[in-house]
Amino acid sequence: MKIAVLGGDGFCGWPTSLHLSNLGHEIHIIDNLSRRWIDTELGVQSLTPMDSIQERCRIWKEVSGEKIHFHLIDLAKEYYRLRDWLSENRPDAVIHFAEQRAAPYSMISDRHKIYTVDNNINATHNLLVAMVETGLDAHLVHLGTMGVYGYSTVGAPIPEGYLDVSIDTPDGSKGMEILYPTRPGSVYHMTKSLDQILFQFYAQNDGVRVTDLHQGIVWGTNTDQTRRHPQLVNRFDYDGDYGTVLNRFLAQAAIGYPLTVHGTGGQTRAFIHIQDTVRCIELALKDAPAKGDRVKIFNQMTETHRVRDLAELVAKMTGARIAYLPNPRKEAAENELIVKNDNFLGLGLDPITLQEGLLEEVVEIAKKFAHRVDRKRVPCVSAWTRDLASRVERDPEGKRLKSVS
């Protein structure tokens, strides 16, 4: 297939591009490289050194014999360039990663909230409009998030997208199927919730074929393809805005930094290894909906864990100290999370669960590049409200000069 990978320079997009190229697909990465500019804005860098996207593609051609094409297009701002590219190239599938992906970043300030909504919603809507206007009957696979469901304690398994409900009418009770109610916990999660509505409309109105993947928190760094050359390594975010919780714990342990658990650590989250992420994309591509079908929704996760349990696991494995800190997020202190993921298991996914060997691999990567860590960027300091911001702990290591008066 000819596949357009939107946001193919990112944490999930790059290894997915390599994985699909390795399977023999013709891959076209479309990206505005905004994630690299955000690194510059935040004054932080990937723990793993990243070459330019052009150099990465060149190295991949060298080691695999397969060519990955790169196109510099801003989906949110350059609608007509996107439309014309789709019209000319007519991919068989479009994988949409091209959204600002960090909840903490989306909550830093009013500017960051506005940017996240403008970028994410415009990118998704521009893509849908362009597909309709060009008559492109490509399978659209979108990377969403489990966070659209929220993290309140329901006590019942979260279904894959749709919920059967009973409505009381004058003629008696009638059943219907609705989207599972959203309860986003950040501006970022809100944009993914809005994406869902856009997909529903364009599927029912124009027959756009959409698969929406509600993904859990990704951990790990390498895949089978990124291991093939040092310059193909995936990015590794350790900072308080973009680092995912398990990767952050492993990086903190590697540099002798306390494992930062916010609140009680009773937040239960869904997780998936990066190798399973790329495998799920492959499986979703093979199971495309027909024109006129409803949006397919998969829960793309493999297991759930409490944050404090993960911290204790990493502490036991590495000897690291755990620091319990005020929570900058507005969320329940404790929650249960039961999630159905029958669709991917039915398609043949053999999940990678937390294995000490893979955890140690991440620690070793962090140790190798520990000299690239800016310790001031490790704490989570982006707060959800002004009140919470006043309680944020900016010095988990206790190195701040203290008054003796």
Side-chain angles (χ1 to χ4, degrees), residues 140 146 148-149 156-166 176-182 193 195-204 208-214 289-290 292-299 338-343:
L140 171 57
M146 288 291 302
V148 300
Y149 300 130
I158 295 176
E160 303 204 73
Y162 299 97
L163 183 66
D164 292 322
V165 298
S166 180
M176 66 180 296
E177 185 181 66
I178 62 172
L179 274 175
Y180 193 90
T182 64
S193 300
D195 282 343
Q196 284 195 122
I197 304 302
L198 293 173
F199 296 141
Q200 294 291 324
F201 174 78
Y202 281 97
Q204 71 186 26
V208 178
R209 299 185 294 123
V210 182
T211 298
D212 197 10
L213 307 176
H214 290 173
D293 284 356
R294 71 176 189 179
V295 176
K296 280 193 173 183
I297 300 177
F298 293 174
N299 289 336
I338 309 169
V339 184
K340 288 186 176 180
N341 64 341
D342 299 336
N343 284 330

Side-chain angles (χ1 to χ4, degrees), residues 62-352:
E62 187 177 278
V63 302
S64 71
E66 302 291 340
K67 183 174 183 179
I68 292 179
H69 308 263
F70 171 67
H71 311 274
L72 183 64
I73 301 176
D74 189 323
L75 305 183
K77 296 179 179 178
E78 298 180 307
Y79 166 76
Y80 294 104
R81 288 191 64 210
L82 170 63
R83 183 196 65 184
D84 293 347
W85 188 90
L86 291 174
S87 179
E88 179 181 346
N89 290 274
R90 309 202 72 80
D92 303 296
V94 177
I95 305 173
H96 180 18
F97 296 109
E99 296 179 88
Q100 191 292 104
R101 68 168 179 84
Y105 182 86
S106 76
M107 303 299 290
I108 292 176
S109 71
D110 53 356
R111 178 175 68 83
H112 295 85
K113 293 174 183 178
I114 291 168
Y115 167 75
T116 299
V117 171
D118 285 350
N119 181 79
N120 292 8
I121 300 305
N122 283 339
T124 297
H125 191 240
N126 284 350
L127 172 61
L128 290 163
V129 172
M131 292 178 68
V132 171
E133 290 304 305
T134 57
L136 179 65
D137 184 29
H139 178 200
L140 171 57
V141 178
H142 172 254
L143 192 70
T145 171
M146 288 291 302
V148 300
Y149 300 130
Y151 297 106
S152 59
T153 300
V154 178
I158 295 176
E160 303 204 73
Y162 299 97
L163 183 66
D164 292 322
V165 298
S166 180
I167 306 294
D168 290 331
T169 75
D171 298 321
S173 179
K174 291 188 177 180
M176 66 180 296
E177 185 181 66
I178 62 172
L179 274 175
Y180 193 90
T182 64
R183 193 175 182 182
S186 71
V187 168
Y188 157 72
H189 292 108
M190 181 183 68
T191 64
K192 296 290 190 175
S193 300
L194 295 172
D195 282 343
Q196 284 195 122
I197 304 302
L198 293 173
F199 296 141
Q200 294 291 324
F201 174 78
Y202 281 97
Q204 71 186 26
N205 192 70
D206 298 286
V208 178
R209 299 185 294 123
V210 182
T211 298
D212 197 10
L213 307 176
H214 290 173
Q215 180 167 258
I217 297 170
V218 183
W219 66 282
T221 298
N222 277 320
T223 64
D224 293 340
Q225 287 73 46
T226 63
R227 290 188 185 94
R228 293 177 65 176
H229 193 283
Q231 288 172 272
L232 296 177
V233 68
N234 200 19
R235 71 175 299 127
F236 189 131
D237 297 305
Y238 65 87
D239 62 287
D241 285 312
Y242 274 89
T244 59
V245 62
L246 181 52
N247 274 9
R248 276 172 50 78
F249 284 163
L250 295 168
Q252 289 167 350
I255 64 170
Y257 199 98
L259 309 184
T260 51
V261 175
H262 295 92
T264 67
Q267 308 94 332
T268 305
R269 297 290 188 261
F271 291 87
I272 186 170
H273 189 270
I274 187 66
Q275 182 71 60
D276 278 345
T277 290
V278 302
R279 174 69 173 139
C280 284
I281 299 294
E282 174 196 346
L283 293 172
L285 286 171
K286 293 178 179 178
D287 192 49
K291 193 175 182 68
D293 284 356
R294 71 176 189 179
V295 176
K296 280 193 173 183
I297 300 177
F298 293 174
N299 289 336
Q300 187 166 304
M301 50 73 65
T302 54
E303 55 190 329
T304 60
H305 296 279
R306 289 190 189 277
V307 170
R308 62 172 173 255
D309 294 338
L310 291 177
E312 290 167 4
L313 173 66
V314 174
K316 182 179 179 181
M317 185 181 83
T318 64
R321 175 174 67 88
I322 299 174
Y324 285 87
L325 307 175
N327 193 351
R329 300 189 183 215
K330 190 173 184 178
E331 62 183 355
E334 307 268 336
N335 74 281
E336 301 294 333
L337 188 63
I338 309 169
V339 184
K340 288 186 176 180
N341 64 341
D342 299 336
N343 284 330
F344 274 128
L345 296 178
L347 291 175
L349 178 67
D350 183 14
I352 296 171

Side-chain angles (χ1 to χ4, degrees), residues 250 317 355-365:
L250 295 168
M317 185 181 83
Q355 300 170 21
E356 192 161 307
L358 287 173
L359 294 174
E360 289 173 351
E361 176 185 286
V362 179
V363 173
E364 289 306 310
I365 291 172

